Amino acid sequence: EFEVAGGPTDRRPATDPSDPMAANGGGARYEVPPLAVPRDADDSAFVASFAVDDVDGMRAFFEQYGFVVVRDVFSAAQCAAAIDDIWAHVARLTKGAARRDDAATWTNAVWSTTGIVSEGMVGGAALFSPTAVAGRQNERLHAAFAAVLGTRELLVNHDRYGCFRPCRHAPSYTTRRNVHLDMNPLDYFESDDNSHQVDVLSRLRYTTAHDFITENNEVGCSAVGELHVQGLVNLADNRHADGGFQLVPAFKHHFEAWVRSRERELRGWFGIR
């Protein structure tokens, strides 16, 4: 399944003392109100999802809830090929120490070279392989993005894989919870135009894969009124007990109020005076 979100992708409890944005100097913080999300009619373990050709349904759901799930984007064979590719990257990055068929080899010491382990990302920067690039150009994936964005002319970037180790019997494998914005939210709301974005992007030479991550984090500003979305492709059914990806429903409708009420903490977090 394909999921696309129009805002931050992870939620951390407001009482978590490790959250640098959890306090606002005693001031009132804006809290996003809870919102019940419609469940799948056939299996309530999943949220409601849409066929890739249900453009109106996708757009309406996205506008209300800030995300949408599109089913059957990749075929079973394409999912299997992508999973094989993930394990090929893991084997390469660990020099063969992590073996797909032996969970005992997935230790923290071995897994430490796979990428951003604390967030379950495979690859320190964008990953390129024939399978990954083919998936990026999947026609049904393009159709899902086009439906949400309202145009088939898409400007896209390239990222990496995600892979979470089971942590029920190995708590140290747990990934960290974080408010993952992939942008500077203060710049986003305080800038009058996209001049900073244009300046940064015009200087990229793509001599390293990290330039693709820099590109990903430069989304311009709210004043311009562009719609930017992020998406992920689930290669296997993801149930509540599995952990992994989290998002805040309808966050795009509350984003600015949430940021304004945490301005001091955000300035400290992003090094802005």
Side-chain angles (χ1 to χ4, degrees), residues 53 63 79 87 93 96 117 124 155 160 176 205 210 216:
D53 59 354
E63 180 55 36
C79 288
W87 281 106
L93 292 166
V117 179
L155 182 62
R160 50 199 153 197
R176 73 187 184 98
R205 294 297 176 265
H210 287 281
N216 180 51

Short mmCIF file of all heavy atoms in Angstrom, two decimals, residues 53 63 79 87 93 96 117 124 155 160 176 205 210 216:
data_model
loop_
_atom_site.label_atom_id
_atom_site.label_comp_id
_atom_site.label_asym_id
_atom_site.label_seq_id
_atom_site.Cartn_x
_atom_site.Cartn_y
_atom_site.Cartn_z
N ASP A 53 -7.49 4.50 -8.86
CA ASP A 53 -8.27 5.30 -9.81
C ASP A 53 -9.41 6.07 -9.15
O ASP A 53 -10.16 6.77 -9.83
CB ASP A 53 -8.82 4.40 -10.92
CG ASP A 53 -9.71 3.27 -10.41
OD1 ASP A 53 -9.82 3.11 -9.18
OD2 ASP A 53 -10.29 2.54 -11.24
N GLU A 63 -7.74 15.88 1.96
CA GLU A 63 -8.04 17.24 2.40
C GLU A 63 -8.54 17.25 3.84
O GLU A 63 -8.19 18.14 4.62
CB GLU A 63 -9.09 17.87 1.48
CG GLU A 63 -9.47 19.29 1.86
CD GLU A 63 -8.27 20.22 1.94
OE1 GLU A 63 -7.33 20.07 1.14
OE2 GLU A 63 -8.26 21.11 2.84
N CYS A 79 6.63 -6.04 -4.71
CA CYS A 79 6.91 -5.94 -3.27
C CYS A 79 8.03 -6.91 -2.88
O CYS A 79 8.96 -6.54 -2.16
CB CYS A 79 5.66 -6.24 -2.46
SG CYS A 79 4.39 -4.95 -2.50
N TRP A 87 17.26 -6.26 1.58
CA TRP A 87 18.20 -7.18 2.23
C TRP A 87 19.54 -7.21 1.51
O TRP A 87 20.59 -7.43 2.14
CB TRP A 87 17.58 -8.57 2.35
CG TRP A 87 16.62 -8.64 3.49
CD1 TRP A 87 15.27 -8.68 3.44
CD2 TRP A 87 16.98 -8.65 4.88
NE1 TRP A 87 14.74 -8.69 4.71
CE2 TRP A 87 15.76 -8.69 5.61
CE3 TRP A 87 18.19 -8.61 5.58
CZ2 TRP A 87 15.74 -8.70 7.00
CZ3 TRP A 87 18.16 -8.63 6.97
CH2 TRP A 87 16.95 -8.67 7.66
N LEU A 93 25.92 -3.26 3.21
CA LEU A 93 26.32 -2.26 4.20
C LEU A 93 26.94 -2.89 5.45
O LEU A 93 27.69 -2.24 6.17
CB LEU A 93 25.10 -1.41 4.58
CG LEU A 93 24.57 -0.49 3.47
CD1 LEU A 93 23.19 0.04 3.83
CD2 LEU A 93 25.54 0.66 3.23
N GLY A 96 28.09 -8.42 4.75
CA GLY A 96 27.62 -9.80 4.85
C GLY A 96 27.37 -10.29 6.26
O GLY A 96 26.93 -11.43 6.45
N VAL A 117 20.10 4.15 12.05
CA VAL A 117 19.50 3.03 12.78
C VAL A 117 18.40 3.51 13.72
O VAL A 117 17.37 2.85 13.87
CB VAL A 117 20.59 2.26 13.56
CG1 VAL A 117 19.97 1.11 14.34
CG2 VAL A 117 21.65 1.75 12.60
N GLY A 124 22.63 5.81 4.59
CA GLY A 124 22.89 7.10 5.23
C GLY A 124 22.38 8.26 4.41
O GLY A 124 22.16 9.36 4.91
N LEU A 155 7.32 17.01 -9.80
CA LEU A 155 8.72 17.24 -9.48
C LEU A 155 9.02 16.42 -8.24
O LEU A 155 8.50 16.70 -7.16
CB LEU A 155 8.98 18.73 -9.21
CG LEU A 155 10.42 19.13 -8.92
CD1 LEU A 155 11.33 18.83 -10.11
CD2 LEU A 155 10.50 20.61 -8.55
N ARG A 160 15.30 6.75 0.40
CA ARG A 160 15.92 5.47 0.77
C ARG A 160 14.87 4.49 1.27
O ARG A 160 13.68 4.74 1.21
CB ARG A 160 16.99 5.72 1.83
CG ARG A 160 16.50 6.56 3.00
CD ARG A 160 17.64 7.18 3.77
NE ARG A 160 17.23 8.40 4.42
CZ ARG A 160 18.07 9.31 4.89
NH1 ARG A 160 19.36 9.11 4.81
NH2 ARG A 160 17.64 10.42 5.44
N ARG A 176 13.68 5.42 17.74
CA ARG A 176 13.26 6.55 18.57
C ARG A 176 12.00 7.19 18.00
O ARG A 176 11.74 7.17 16.80
CB ARG A 176 14.37 7.59 18.67
CG ARG A 176 14.62 8.43 17.43
CD ARG A 176 15.86 9.29 17.61
NE ARG A 176 16.08 10.17 16.47
CZ ARG A 176 15.70 11.45 16.44
NH1 ARG A 176 15.08 11.98 17.49
NH2 ARG A 176 15.93 12.20 15.38
N ARG A 205 25.18 20.10 -6.56
CA ARG A 205 25.83 19.52 -7.74
C ARG A 205 25.63 18.00 -7.80
O ARG A 205 26.07 17.36 -8.74
CB ARG A 205 27.32 19.86 -7.72
CG ARG A 205 27.61 21.35 -7.89
CD ARG A 205 27.14 21.83 -9.25
NE ARG A 205 27.32 23.28 -9.43
CZ ARG A 205 26.36 24.18 -9.20
NH1 ARG A 205 25.16 23.78 -8.78
NH2 ARG A 205 26.59 25.46 -9.39
N HIS A 210 24.02 12.60 -0.59
CA HIS A 210 23.46 13.47 0.45
C HIS A 210 22.77 14.69 -0.15
O HIS A 210 21.89 15.29 0.49
CB HIS A 210 24.55 13.90 1.42
CG HIS A 210 25.01 12.81 2.35
ND1 HIS A 210 24.29 12.44 3.46
CD2 HIS A 210 26.09 12.01 2.31
CE1 HIS A 210 24.92 11.45 4.08
NE2 HIS A 210 26.01 11.17 3.40
N ASN A 216 15.43 17.25 -0.48
CA ASN A 216 14.20 16.82 0.17
C ASN A 216 13.76 17.79 1.27
O ASN A 216 12.56 17.99 1.51
CB ASN A 216 14.39 15.42 0.76
CG ASN A 216 13.15 14.90 1.45
OD1 ASN A 216 12.06 14.91 0.88
ND2 ASN A 216 13.30 14.45 2.68
#
